[in-house]
Amino acid sequence: MTTPLAFDLKPSAQPLSDEDRAAVLAAPGFGRHFTDHMVTIRWSEGRGWHDARLQPYAPLQMDPANMTLHYAQSIFEGLKAYRQPDGGVATFRPEENARRFQRSARRLAMPELPEETFVEAIDLLIRQDEAWVPSEPEQSLYLRPFMFATEVGLGVRPANEYLFMVIASPAGAYFPGGVKPVSVWLSEEYVRAAPGGTGEAKCAGNYAASLVAQAEAAQHGCDQVVWLDAVERRWIEEMGGMNLYFVEGTGDDARVLTPELTGTLLPGITRLSLLKIAEDLGYATGEIRLTKDDWRQGNADGSISEVFACGTAAVITPVGSVKSTSASWTVGDGGPGPLTTLLRQKLLAVQSGLAPDPHGWLHRVL
Ligand code: PLP
Ligand code: COI
């Protein structure tokens, strides 16, 4: 039995004024403003996890030879805290993020933070910065747990010191345009993840590697990039930083399908939750493999009626049109489909406490 970590609480003497915070919460955007505090926990070889603190949000000092800057042992998570109808606050399936964080750590040869410490660190920060949890619909407090190497040196090997942190940022809509369908570019040149690589891990390097493809999508007039598998360049994997869903058929007979987790996709918690919600609503669901030609064909013959992307930050975003080097097509009528809209409402209703939570997904913090 290990003893639970005790956190040293050092609240800020100068939190932002109520007036200034209200100005931020009026138009939070995404990831632009941060709350008054942060949590830090250190790990070192020999001592394990230690020095757990809640302290004022502040810049870090870093040695130029910090190993993270050179070799990118850096992982993160993303989850949200939602204001509940009784004024309390809940997070959504934080233990799933804790487990994915452990799997990411394992893949990057980093130490695994115990699940309960991960959840406790987030709860502490939310309790301290509760005033930052917005109460408007579609708004939330985005939590960003992350961990990186802090050892100094240029030898290429797993570091023997790490820092785990949690910061928080009030969030409005992730895509500034609101729930408008996005246009996507099928990336045939760049890939996100290869078999045996780090695609399943939420590591910083995956995002660095994605940026050039996102820029290419923008050059082609598209909002987002869609990743194909690295080997055959034809199996649909994900969209940018979100998982994808395909609706086959319409009405009560519709089937709600998502690409199977082959090892190169990020196993999204929104994806996992939507499989359950769709099933609870009585729809057939499935994890499938679908090529870019299947997608084009399915659109042409009408068998694919809706396509949407899902993730914590943007919840559900309809995909309106597709472009690649060889073809372009519109998904359905180009607008948000009925199941896309329904699933989005259902998920948001559970998260904000406006619908029953039959699977016990909400973790009450306050
Ligand atoms: N795919 C990628 C590459 C992501 O970065 C994310 C976001 O975390 C997701 C999918 C969606 O995951 P989740 O639903 O857990 O936010
Ligand atoms: C998501 O929550 O869907 C994300 O991909 C988070 C992103 C800001 C990295």
Side-chain angles (χ1 to χ4, degrees):
M1 260 296 281
T2 51
T3 31
L5 265 186
F7 283 83
D8 191 8
L9 306 183
K10 291 205 167 64
S12 169
Q14 292 145 328
L16 206 62
S17 70
D18 289 349
E19 195 182 3
D20 288 347
R21 191 179 57 248
V24 170
L25 294 182
F30 182 83
R32 290 192 291 113
H33 302 278
F34 297 90
T35 65
D36 296 307
H37 296 87
M38 61 187 192
V39 168
T40 56
I41 312 178
R42 294 192 175 273
W43 185 92
S44 60
E45 195 79 49
R47 286 187 75 184
W49 296 103
H50 64 280
D51 200 8
R53 296 182 195 191
L54 175 123
Q55 58 187 315
Y57 186 98
L60 302 170
Q61 259 209 346
M62 206 173 265
D63 190 286
N66 174 302
M67 286 168 75
T68 304
L69 298 177
H70 302 271
Y71 308 127
Q73 268 185 300
S74 176
I75 60 173
F76 68 96
E77 271 302 326
L79 69 162
K80 285 175 169 175
Y82 305 87
R83 185 66 72 179
Q84 301 296 296
D86 64 1
V89 177
T91 50
F92 186 71
R93 311 187 77 176
E95 65 293 336
E96 290 291 337
N97 295 89
R99 287 187 210 126
R100 187 169 66 189
F101 197 65
Q102 290 181 330
R103 296 196 300 273
S104 298
R106 229 174 288 150
R107 179 61 184 82
L108 277 276
M110 298 165 85
E112 289 175 44
L113 186 70
E115 187 181 316
E116 56 282 5
T117 309
F118 179 96
V119 174
E120 169 70 1
I122 292 166
D123 289 0
L124 262 184
L125 183 58
I126 294 170
R127 282 191 214 113
Q128 183 67 42
D129 284 336
E130 190 210 336
W132 286 89
V133 182
S135 33
E136 293 299 313
E138 303 259 337
Q139 294 197 347
S140 57
L141 184 66
Y142 182 78
L143 282 311
R144 171 54 64 90
F146 59 110
M147 174 167 54
F148 57 95
T150 47
E151 192 188 342
V152 171
L154 298 182
V156 182
R157 56 166 172 76
N160 57 28
E161 286 171 18
Y162 296 88
L163 182 61
F164 168 79
M165 304 187 65
V166 190
I167 56 175
S169 171
Y174 183 72
F175 293 121
V179 193
K180 278 211 303 255
V182 292
S183 53
V184 299
W185 169 252
L186 298 187
S187 177
E188 286 161 348
E189 180 173 3
Y190 302 108
V191 295
R192 175 182 171 277
T198 57
E200 265 182 339
K202 206 159 162 61
C203 62
N206 286 349
Y207 298 80
S210 76
L211 301 176
V212 68
Q214 178 59 35
E216 189 186 69
Q219 275 160 18
H220 287 90
C222 294
D223 300 310
Q224 287 288 319
V225 60
V226 162
W227 304 111
L228 303 173
D229 76 289
V231 179
E232 297 180 55
R233 307 280 170 105
R234 62 192 189 104
W235 301 99
I236 305 287
E237 298 205 324
E238 317 186 46
M239 180 191 94
M242 300 175 80
N243 293 114
L244 280 169
Y245 265 91
F246 295 82
V247 179
E248 212 178 69
T250 53
D252 290 347
D253 296 330
R255 300 205 309 142
V256 179
L257 308 170
T258 187
E260 170 182 280
L261 301 176
T262 55
T264 51
L265 284 74
L266 202 276
I269 295 155
T270 317
R271 172 191 181 279
L272 187 68
S273 307
L274 288 172
L275 273 175
K276 200 58 161 176
I277 291 176
E279 195 185 300
D280 290 350
L281 288 168
Y283 292 100
T285 60
E287 296 177 86
I288 50 146
R289 299 200 70 198
L290 183 99
T291 66
K292 56 184 175 168
D293 294 329
D294 296 336
W295 187 355
R296 185 168 46 81
Q297 190 56 42
N299 258 116
D301 66 22
S303 56
I304 293 177
S305 56
E306 304 176 39
V307 181
F308 62 85
C310 66
T312 297
V315 195
I316 283 185
T317 299
V319 176
S321 59
V322 188
K323 205 172 182 182
S324 71
T325 50
S326 54
S328 302
W329 64 93
T330 302
V331 177
D333 63 4
L339 252 174
T340 303
T341 305
L342 177 68
L343 289 168
R344 188 171 196 282
Q345 278 166 0
K346 291 283 177 196
L347 177 58
L348 282 171
V350 174
Q351 290 171 334
S352 51
L354 296 170
D357 175 24
H359 305 292
W361 286 340
L362 288 185
H363 168 78
R364 225 24 219 246
V365 182
L366 282 163

